[in-house]
Amino acid sequence: MPNCSHLLVAPTAFELSAVLEKIPKVKLERAHCCLCGFGSIAAAARTASLIHQYRPAVVVLAGIAGSLDTQSDIGMSYEFSTVRSYGIGVGAGEKFQAAEEMGWRQWPDNDEPDDGSFGDVIQWESSRLGQLQHQNEGELLSVCSASSSREEAELRKKQFPAATAEDMEGFAVAAACTMLKVPCVVIRGISNMAGDRDQQNWHIEEALRNVSNHVGHFLVNSK
């Protein structure tokens, strides 16, 4: 049996604090709220450790991301149910070749059903919790290094047309949950256009405020 209903994780203390600030404490009574760490390696390792520690019924990842197209509006919050790994494979830029293109699944290398295996894409059913829920039908592209320019972001979009936003931890958290057979929910607020490194153009507060409302709605309406 689960020790808690919800494990809420965020990559940074800033994101976690901003998300929790707007959520009434009563909505957090069944949740453990923790950092998962910045980037794919820390997020995968820490999420797996937290799952073992708390045995949650569901893991919720919350934080910010960059937009890759008009399906992900700046300032808005979205739930993603498809995440794609970017950077595991061979080459870079136009020469990048993903692991599955090379014939390798990331874990493990077989096709047995319900064994916790996955390739470059992990997909699950969305929670679909009513009008406050903004479901993004595109892929969340999880990268090891964020786009440094609009040109780089556009190249990634060209390589993976279904990608609508870019983050660094979504695939890592989903991978840990898939391996340990725990459902996950990924909620990202769109703070900027991917590749725009000028934070004067970013809408972090607005994005995280909407994430907070989104997460609060999920916590109170999910079992």
Side-chain angles (χ1 to χ4, degrees):
M1 294 293 291
N3 285 344
C4 70
S5 293
H6 303 94
L7 173 62
L8 173 62
V9 297
T12 65
F14 171 76
E15 288 167 292
L16 184 61
S17 176
V19 170
L20 295 179
E21 183 179 3
K22 303 296 182 181
I23 301 177
K25 290 184 178 180
V26 65
K27 295 184 180 181
L28 296 170
E29 290 178 349
R30 299 184 300 158
H32 285 286
C33 306
C34 307
L35 294 178
C36 65
F38 182 80
S40 59
I41 296 174
R46 182 60 173 161
T47 299
S49 175
L50 290 169
I51 291 172
H52 279 295
Q53 180 178 356
Y54 293 117
R55 293 190 295 157
V58 62
V59 175
V60 181
L61 169 64
I64 56 175
S67 174
L68 285 170
D69 73 11
T70 56
Q71 292 185 62
S72 297
D73 292 330
I74 293 176
M76 296 297 293
S77 171
Y78 297 96
E79 178 189 347
F80 291 86
S81 56
T82 304
V83 291
R84 176 182 290 275
S85 169
Y86 180 91
I88 306 298
V90 171
E94 293 181 351
K95 295 183 178 181
F96 173 68
Q97 188 177 16
E100 281 199 286
E101 292 181 84
M102 302 163 58
W104 295 92
R105 289 178 65 78
Q106 292 196 29
W107 174 260
D109 189 20
N110 63 54
D111 295 311
E112 293 297 322
D114 196 32
D115 63 354
S117 68
F118 54 86
D120 295 327
V121 177
I122 300 176
Q123 187 173 29
W124 59 93
E125 289 187 10
S126 67
S127 61
R128 297 191 182 278
L129 287 172
Q131 293 183 352
L132 291 180
Q133 187 84 354
H134 297 283
Q135 178 68 25
N136 195 303
E137 300 295 343
E139 294 178 348
L140 179 62
L141 190 67
S142 284
V143 302
C144 295
S145 181
S147 295
S148 62
S149 65
R150 285 298 300 150
E151 291 76 17
E152 187 172 13
E154 288 167 2
L155 175 59
R156 292 176 176 184
K157 174 67 178 179
K158 181 179 179 181
Q159 291 171 312
F160 302 101
T164 61
E166 173 186 279
D167 85 335
M168 298 179 71
E169 298 85 17
F171 188 86
V173 170
C177 290
T178 300
M179 292 177 74
L180 296 170
K181 297 181 174 60
V182 177
C184 74
V185 174
V186 175
I187 297 174
R188 287 297 202 180
I190 307 302
S191 59
N192 60 287
M193 292 299 298
D196 182 359
R197 307 313 304 166
D198 185 354
Q199 293 196 16
Q200 293 186 11
N201 299 328
W202 292 21
H203 294 256
I204 296 176
E205 292 185 4
E206 179 185 3
L208 287 174
R209 181 171 62 251
N210 283 320
V211 170
S212 182
N213 292 334
H214 199 151
V215 171
H217 178 70
F218 173 79
L219 292 178
V220 79
N221 285 282
S222 63
K223 295 180 181 179

